[in-house]
Amino acid sequence: FNYPGSKLNKIKKQVSSEDILPSILDVLKIEVPYRKSLPFFGHSFIPLIEGKEVKKFNDRIIRSDARFYMQKERITSLRTNEFKFIISHECKRIELYDLKNDPKEIDDCFDNIKYKKEIDWFIKKFEHNESTAVDFLKCNLRKKINESLLNLENINKTTNECYLINFSQS
């Protein structure tokens, strides 16, 4: 990440593509000009480039999904500075990589008893994360359906039918 006046520095903390927009806004000294319905998930990594210690990057978990929720062949990864946890949803296959000792992710540690504590921790984090995502999706869907129905009322249209179309496995 390079910008006029930036220092050349290797960041040793985990950053994400989610951090790019907050970092650009930080460099340009721009506040978000409108109220967002969702806050940024990312953080500016400019202080890291400047060599400062930023606590929010220490124990961070970055989630990546290879498919949308409920799609076939979905794979999710959770990554910390030290480990990458991968779950293939359909076959329930789990992988764990020790990024400090195996940065190229060659040796899957999932069957290694030495990593039981880390595996249990990631499974617990994943289950909580997944439950939170499902609740968020349900809440947003309810809100959108209610807004659509209110819009029908507001334009004096009546209907006796409502269709809900879902493009997913379930």
Side-chain angles (χ1 to χ4, degrees):
F1 193 81
N2 192 350
Y3 56 93
S6 69
K7 298 177 180 180
L8 182 60
N9 196 357
K10 183 174 184 175
I11 296 175
K12 295 184 180 9
K13 300 289 183 185
Q14 175 180 223
V15 295
S16 164
S17 59
E18 295 173 340
D19 301 322
I20 294 172
L21 181 59
S23 299
I24 290 171
L25 293 174
D26 189 11
V27 168
L28 298 174
K29 307 288 186 238
I30 296 174
E31 295 288 322
V32 178
Y34 57 89
R35 186 173 176 268
K36 291 172 50 58
S37 61
L38 288 174
F40 286 124
F41 293 108
H43 308 287
S44 173
F45 52 71
I46 301 306
L48 295 175
I49 291 174
E50 295 170 349
K52 297 175 185 169
E53 179 64 27
V54 182
K55 288 184 180 181
K56 61 183 139 201
F57 286 93
N58 288 345
D59 299 321
R60 192 173 192 203
I61 301 170
I62 303 267
R63 178 181 173 140
S64 298
D65 285 282
R67 299 271 192 273
F68 290 115
Y69 192 79
M70 303 291 285
Q71 276 187 315
K72 233 178 164 179
E73 299 176 21
R74 184 166 160 242
I75 298 172
T76 298
S77 75
L78 299 178
R79 190 179 187 280
T80 64
N81 285 315
E82 294 84 24
F83 294 96
K84 183 186 275 184
F85 172 88
I86 302 169
I87 184 165
S88 301
H89 294 258
E90 286 178 26
C91 62
K92 303 292 185 218
R93 180 168 183 249
I94 296 175
E95 301 168 57
L96 181 73
Y97 295 95
D98 181 341
L99 300 175
K100 281 190 174 181
N101 297 313
D102 181 21
K104 294 186 179 180
E105 302 174 26
I106 296 169
D107 297 316
D108 179 1
C109 304
F110 183 72
D111 291 327
N112 187 334
I113 193 73
K114 174 182 161 186
Y115 293 96
K116 181 175 179 1
K117 186 177 101 180
E118 287 82 4
I119 292 165
D120 290 345
W121 183 85
F122 271 107
I123 289 171
K124 186 177 177 184
K125 288 289 181 187
F126 171 75
E127 287 172 349
H128 173 74
N129 199 282
E130 199 70 354
S131 172
T132 302
V134 168
D135 290 345
F136 174 80
L137 290 169
K138 283 181 190 175
C139 182
N140 258 5
L141 182 60
R142 256 189 236 111
K143 182 180 171 186
K144 287 180 179 183
I145 290 171
N146 285 336
E147 286 172 0
S148 295
L149 292 173
L150 282 173
N151 284 338
L152 282 176
E153 284 179 18
N154 290 339
I155 56 174
N156 295 324
K157 288 194 175 186
T158 59
T159 183
N160 295 326
E161 297 176 357
C162 176
Y163 295 96
L164 181 61
I165 301 171
N166 183 10
F167 297 100
S168 70
Q169 220 41 44
S170 171

